[in-house]
């Protein structure tokens, strides 16, 4: 496969996943802001979402940190490279660049989502009913993944698509958990109280993992169990361990397909081994924020190594 096509497939799936993940971050901020004891209105929650999203640097410091302004920046702002609109625009641009490498169903799912997002009605929906807009974005991500999984060949192109998905998903799960850190940072007295417990379950809801968590841990919604489910549980589809396992597997597929291994494979195995050998006691002792920050750096290094190994350009 041409490196340009591999690059387009990798980033196509990353952008679609990123759009959905940005919606999940907003869902978490929205639910946390509903708590009456969550500080001065909804300032801290939306500031936390900005910090965890990695988009805070580009946000106008003169703009208030309220739902309307922050969500508009994260959804429609053209100057924010990770806004949901820009993610769908970039995803379609990558799809168009290698139109013959994807199926008609994949193109239609992506193109229809962008066309609908551009309509004025979607702007109004985001302002008047943010939860419904968030659900719409998540449905578009699920529709694209469904079209991909049910129609595309299981060749090296599929591996690049899956690599993009799980690199981006691992990044998002770590950021969702880190929102919890940013929210409680100013008010450590809230740790362990009712607000704290509600915010932890909000992490599960934003990750679409509440029902799956209940199947495993029943009603034990403790921070320890929730963090374990989203970090170390290999059966949780959005956990760091599961994402790292999938990344390792698809890199192994590529190594067999191309008949050679490279340092990126060892790097992926190292990250996966770190997660499989870690214990939650050690992670909480080290500091959850510190652990997540280290993982985000490792994930970014792995993403860059994939690009270097397969001669991608940067996007």
């Amino acid at each position: 496969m041409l490196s340009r096509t591999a690059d387009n497939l990798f980033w196509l799936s990353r952008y679609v996943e990123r759009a959905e993940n940005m919606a999940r971050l907003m869902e978490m901020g929205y639910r946390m802001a509903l708590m009456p004891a969550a500080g001065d209105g909804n300032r801290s929650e939306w500031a936390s979402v900005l910090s965890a999203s990695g988009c805070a640097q580009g946000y106008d410091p003169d703009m208030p940190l309220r739902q309307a302004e922050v969500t508009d920046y994260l959804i429609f702002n053209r100057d924010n490279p990770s806004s949901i609109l820009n993610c769908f625009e970039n995803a379609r641009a990558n799809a168009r660049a290698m139109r013959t490498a994807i199926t008609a169903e994949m193109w239609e799912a992506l193109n229809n989502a962008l066309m609908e997002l551009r309509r004025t009605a979607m702007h109004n929906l985001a302002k008047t009913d943010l939860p419904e807009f968030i659900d719409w974005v998540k449905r578009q991500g699920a529709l694209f993944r469904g079209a991909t999984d049910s129609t595309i060949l299981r060749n090296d192109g599929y591996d690049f698509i899956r690599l993009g998905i799980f690199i981006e998903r691992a990044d998002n799960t770590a950021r969702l958990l880190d929102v919890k850190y940013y929210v409680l940072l100013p008010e450590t007295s809230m740790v362990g109280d009712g607000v704290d417990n509600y915010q932890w379950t909000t992490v599960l809801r934003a990750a679409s993992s509440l029902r799956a968590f209940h199947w495993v841990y029943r009603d034990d919604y403790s921070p320890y169990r929730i963090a374990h489910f989203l970090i170390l549980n290999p059966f949780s589809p959005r956990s760091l361990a599961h994402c790292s396992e999938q990344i390792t597997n698809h890199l192994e597929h590529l190594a067999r397909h191309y008949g050679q291994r490279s340092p990126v494979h060892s790097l992926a195995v190292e990250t996966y081994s770190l997660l499989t050998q870690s214990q939650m006691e050690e992670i909480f002792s080290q500091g959850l924020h510190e652990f997540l920050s280290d993982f985000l750096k490792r994930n970014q290094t792995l993403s860059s190594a994939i690009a270097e190994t397969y001669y991608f350009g940067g996007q």
Side-chain angles (χ1 to χ4, degrees):
M1 173 174 287
L2 293 174
S3 60
R4 181 180 300 177
T5 301
D7 182 34
N8 289 140
L9 290 171
F10 178 79
W11 279 101
L12 162 62
S13 60
R14 283 200 70 167
Y15 280 125
V16 174
E17 187 75 17
R18 185 174 298 178
E20 181 181 346
N21 292 339
M22 190 64 73
R24 293 179 184 279
L25 280 170
M26 289 191 293
E27 177 181 7
M28 190 169 174
Y30 176 82
R31 289 183 180 276
M32 287 187 174
L34 293 176
M35 288 296 293
D40 56 342
N42 55 7
R43 173 184 172 87
S44 63
E45 286 73 21
W46 292 107
S48 301
V49 170
L50 271 178
S51 298
S53 70
C55 300
Q57 186 173 0
Y59 190 75
D60 187 346
D62 295 326
M63 292 290 288
L65 290 166
R66 297 182 306 208
Q67 176 180 316
E69 288 77 12
V70 173
T71 55
D72 183 74
Y73 175 71
L74 295 178
I75 298 171
F76 297 113
N77 194 298
R78 294 282 187 177
D79 294 327
N80 175 10
S82 292
S83 71
I84 290 175
L85 179 59
N86 277 337
C87 284
F88 276 113
E89 294 272 12
N90 291 332
R92 194 181 71 158
N94 278 279
R96 176 176 286 172
M98 42 86 200
R99 180 68 182 81
T100 58
I102 63 174
T103 65
E105 290 81 1
M106 294 169 65
W107 170 258
E108 289 170 6
L110 187 57
N111 190 57
N112 290 344
L114 179 58
M115 292 300 100
E116 189 171 355
L117 183 59
R118 286 175 173 174
R119 294 164 59 184
T120 304
M122 294 305 292
H123 287 255
N124 295 334
L125 181 63
K127 293 178 181 178
T128 60
D129 194 346
L130 183 62
E132 177 57 32
F133 177 83
I134 288 169
D135 286 343
W136 177 86
V137 175
K138 291 192 290 186
R139 286 196 299 272
Q140 305 317 301
L143 183 63
F144 176 78
R145 286 193 302 276
T148 301
D149 286 343
S150 60
T151 62
I152 200 168
L153 288 174
R154 270 34 177 188
N155 55 13
D156 51 343
Y158 179 74
D159 288 317
F160 286 117
I161 289 173
R162 299 287 284 179
L163 283 172
I165 289 173
F166 287 109
I167 285 284
E168 194 66 34
R169 184 174 296 179
D171 181 272
N172 176 252
T173 297
R175 292 182 185 278
L176 280 176
L177 286 162
D178 225 19
V179 170
K180 188 70 182 66
Y181 167 83
Y182 282 112
V183 166
L184 284 184
L185 186 61
E187 302 182 60
T188 54
S189 62
M190 293 166 57
V191 175
D193 68 4
V195 173
D196 182 32
N197 293 335
Y198 172 83
Q199 289 172 341
W200 275 107
T201 59
T202 295
V203 178
L204 285 175
R205 291 182 183 276
S208 298
S209 298
L210 191 62
R211 180 67 62 85
F213 176 89
H214 180 74
W215 288 337
V216 178
Y217 300 114
R218 299 301 177 185
D219 296 322
D220 184 6
Y221 292 100
S222 64
Y224 178 95
R225 293 296 190 191
I226 293 173
H228 180 272
F229 189 73
L230 292 176
I231 296 175
L232 301 182
N233 192 313
F235 302 107
S236 172
R238 304 194 75 86
S239 74
L240 304 187
H242 178 77
C243 292
S244 294
E245 180 182 18
Q246 292 299 312
I247 291 167
T248 302
N249 289 343
H250 286 288
L251 284 172
E252 288 295 331
H253 293 168
L254 290 173
R256 291 196 297 269
H257 181 83
Y258 295 125
Q260 62 181 16
R261 297 177 60 84
S262 62
V264 69
H265 298 90
S266 299
L267 186 61
V269 170
E270 178 184 335
T271 302
Y272 179 49
S273 298
L274 172 69
L275 291 166
T276 57
Q277 296 170 13
S278 293
Q279 301 292 327
M280 287 310 304
E281 293 87 350
E282 299 171 358
I283 293 174
F284 274 94
S285 176
Q286 172 189 347
L288 181 60
H289 173 66
E290 288 71 21
F291 176 86
L292 294 172
S293 296
D294 177 70
F295 178 83
L296 286 169
K297 291 178 183 177
R298 287 176 175 272
N299 199 52
Q300 180 57 47
T301 300
L302 182 57
S303 176
S304 299
I306 292 171
E308 181 179 346
T309 300
Y310 298 104
Y311 310 106
F312 289 178
Q315 293 197 32

